Amino acid sequence: MTKPIILTGDRPTGKLHLGHYVGSLKNRVRLQNEDKYQLFVFLADQQALTDHAKDSEIIKESIGNVALDYLSVGLDPKKSTLFIQSQIPELAELTMYYMNLVSLARLERNPTVKSEIAQKGFGESIPTGFLVYPISQAADITAFKANLVPVGNDQKPMIEQTREIVRSFNHTYKTTCLVEPEGIYPSSAGAGRLPGLDGNAKMSKSLGNGIYLSDDMDTVRKKVMSMYTDPNHIKVEDPGQIEGNMVFHYLDIFARKEDLAEVQAMKEHYQRGGLGDVKTKRYLLDILERELAPIHERRLDYAKDMGEVFHMLDQGSQAAQAVAAKTLSEVKAAMGINYF
Ligand code: TRP
């Protein structure tokens, strides 16, 4: 029996942080190691270009960084296909055909695209490629006949649009060659989103409130020591608040089963008074170091030979291209444009 196919990707517009790690990377590694699925993970550089056309250097730089992020968390090119979107021209060709099945009004209604447009301040100059990127995302997903697409909640409209395109294509050309994917979303509202060190709801590059997977332990230490706690907890003996206190929030996320009793005791002590922030931060640092140590070790190892990292991406891209080419030929046959 063939294994269900999982596909997911990231825009390479910066290095990945702990928010990406708890929100999706960790889950991908788990799925990879369950050995029940075939995984495709890719760098969506063409999608990144839809809003970075004029500063593409950041994309080139991020390809290497994000590839190292992937490898360091444990994505394994022997088990998963890791590739770069722009190296698969079949994806652009599929996009071309799908565009004819989607109205402009439907694209303009996509809520994620709508809010991104407002956020990015394109004004009257929305790049056509940007408006169309959900169609290109449908090409990414369908080229590999993905059954499952693990993504954040903000990607729901993309999955929905992909499903519509699949139904429309299969119906229009009387075929079953495209597969309708299912999204896999974070299990609870909080699960998919790690707040920033400063207590902001989102860890993000632009807010400068993140811990990157590539930060060394010295940097992590400094960042943890600057975390937002309880501003009213001034003297050690004052009772402190754990709600909204980022140290305890992170402990809830990163503590393992065997730590839970200690975390609970610390919470009670903190609320009672007598437990200082530096102590809670040191404890969190130990917990983070345990999680990050193997990640840092793998990163150092892979970073020694970036040539090898790019070779791996090249191999992955070639393997991915073979799959996409097969789907494209089925698509063209269904449309009746396989002339020779
Ligand atoms: N839009 C996704 C994001 O911003 C990245 C992406 C592009 C993607 N193509 C995809 C995710 C296909 C899943 C499947 O995070």
Side-chain angles (χ1 to χ4, degrees), residues 7-11 28 42-44 47 85 116 133 136-138 140-141 149-152 154-155 158-159:
L7 172 130
T8 185
D10 299 282
R11 296 183 193 182
R28 293 181 200 172
F42 73 104
L43 297 156
Q47 191 174 113
Q85 186 184 32
E116 284 175 318
Y133 91 70
S136 129
Q137 189 155 335
D140 302 336
I141 295 169
V149 184
V151 279
D154 64 325
Q155 297 292 304
M158 309 304 160
I159 306 295

Side-chain angles (χ1 to χ4, degrees), residues 241-288:
Q241 264 220 320
I242 56 170
E243 294 79 25
N245 182 321
M246 289 304 110
V247 174
F248 287 103
H249 192 110
Y250 279 41
L251 281 175
D252 282 340
I253 290 176
F254 290 98
R256 297 185 188 161
K257 247 204 220 101
E258 65 267 27
D259 312 318
L260 291 182
E262 184 157 8
V263 171
Q264 187 52 34
M266 284 180 82
K267 283 184 180 168
E268 285 163 19
H269 192 176
Y270 193 83
Q271 286 172 307
R272 220 170 38 236
L275 179 60
D277 284 321
V278 172
K279 280 210 176 127
T280 64
K281 287 175 173 174
R282 286 220 181 100
Y283 180 69
L284 173 62
L285 253 174
D286 287 344
I287 299 248
L288 287 179

Side-chain angles (χ1 to χ4, degrees), residues 308-324:
E308 185 51 36
V309 170
F310 278 91
H311 177 67
M312 174 282 291
L313 290 171
D314 186 12
Q315 299 277 298
S317 299
Q318 290 185 36
Q321 189 181 6
V323 178

Side-chain angles (χ1 to χ4, degrees), residues 45-247:
D45 59 342
Q46 288 179 321
Q47 191 174 113
L49 280 164
T50 64
D51 67 339
H52 283 76
K54 293 181 182 144
D55 50 338
S56 58
E57 314 85 72
I58 178 165
I59 294 169
K60 176 154 192 230
E61 188 186 304
S62 302
I63 290 276
N65 283 330
V66 178
L68 279 178
D69 290 330
Y70 281 175
L71 294 166
S72 68
V73 297
L75 285 173
D76 178 352
K78 289 194 204 74
K79 297 182 184 163
S80 302
T81 307
L82 308 180
F83 69 97
I84 305 178
Q85 186 184 32
S86 60
Q87 304 309 295
I88 324 289
E90 285 79 1
L91 299 177
E93 210 176 325
L94 285 171
T95 303
M96 189 85 203
Y97 300 130
Y98 297 168
M99 281 203 277
N100 302 324
L101 300 173
V102 181
S103 72
L104 194 53
R106 174 67 182 86
L107 285 172
E108 286 167 342
R109 268 202 312 274
N110 184 311
T112 298
V113 172
K114 245 182 169 163
S115 69
E116 284 175 318
I117 286 173
Q119 218 178 58
K120 291 176 199 288
F122 287 135
E124 293 298 302
S125 315
I126 304 163
T128 312
F130 188 82
L131 196 60
V132 167
Y133 91 70
I135 303 181
S136 129
Q137 189 155 335
D140 302 336
I141 295 169
T142 54
F144 300 93
K145 307 202 178 198
N147 305 99
L148 300 167
V149 184
V151 279
N153 288 315
D154 64 325
Q155 297 292 304
K156 267 185 193 163
M158 309 304 160
I159 306 295
E160 201 35 62
Q161 193 144 20
T162 302
R163 291 166 60 89
E164 282 174 34
I165 289 172
V166 168
R167 289 195 292 265
S168 169
F169 186 93
N170 285 349
H171 179 259
T172 304
Y173 300 110
K174 303 190 176 34
T175 174
T176 53
C177 77
L178 297 184
V179 174
E180 242 184 274
E182 304 277 347
I184 311 181
Y185 304 104
S187 50
S188 65
R193 184 151 282 187
L194 184 69
L197 299 166
D198 57 358
N200 193 294
K202 199 177 165 191
M203 183 175 279
S204 90
K205 195 174 36 190
S206 50
L207 296 170
N209 63 1
I211 293 178
Y212 292 91
L213 292 169
S214 48
D215 284 344
D216 58 27
M217 275 319 293
D218 256 355
T219 309
V220 176
R221 191 165 303 117
K222 285 197 196 99
K223 289 183 173 177
V224 167
M225 288 302 161
S226 78
M227 274 174 96
Y228 180 83
T229 58
D230 170 4
N232 299 317
H233 182 238
I234 302 184
K235 286 188 270 154
V236 171
E237 55 281 16
D238 291 342
Q241 264 220 320
I242 56 170
E243 294 79 25
N245 182 321
M246 289 304 110
V247 174

